[in-house]
Amino acid sequence: MPSETAETTALLRSIRRLLLAIVFLLGVGLVALADTGYMTSGYQDGSIFALAGVSGAVVALAAVLTWLGSWRSAPSTGAD
């Protein structure tokens, strides 16, 4: 039974890391979309696009820091 728990924990950890990578890419995509919107609007309404870009950057930064932290603080399986 403990081996099934360790396998499940490892699988869930890998799924969590994959989801964090997806969230990071969505944040970067939001930054790119905000930059594109700013350019296509003829460099008008800068504050709206700046707010969207900053929020995307915060999401991307939080996701990458959490993803890096998940590699550092991987708990032991307890099968010792």
Side-chain angles (χ1 to χ4, degrees):
M1 182 83 177
S3 64
E4 291 177 8
T5 304
E7 291 173 5
T8 303
T9 303
L11 179 63
L12 290 174
R13 189 179 302 127
S14 67
I15 290 171
R16 180 175 184 229
R17 288 177 181 155
L18 177 65
L19 288 174
L20 284 170
I22 291 170
V23 169
F24 169 73
L25 291 175
L26 287 173
V28 171
L30 184 59
V31 170
L33 187 63
D35 187 41
T36 303
Y38 182 63
M39 287 188 293
T40 58
S41 70
Y43 301 101
Q44 302 289 325
D45 300 325
S47 61
I48 294 171
F49 295 116
L51 181 63
V54 167
S55 63
V58 167
V59 167
L61 180 64
V64 78
L65 289 176
T66 305
W67 183 77
L68 288 173
S70 73
W71 287 100
R72 184 177 53 93
S73 65
S76 64
T77 59
D80 295 345

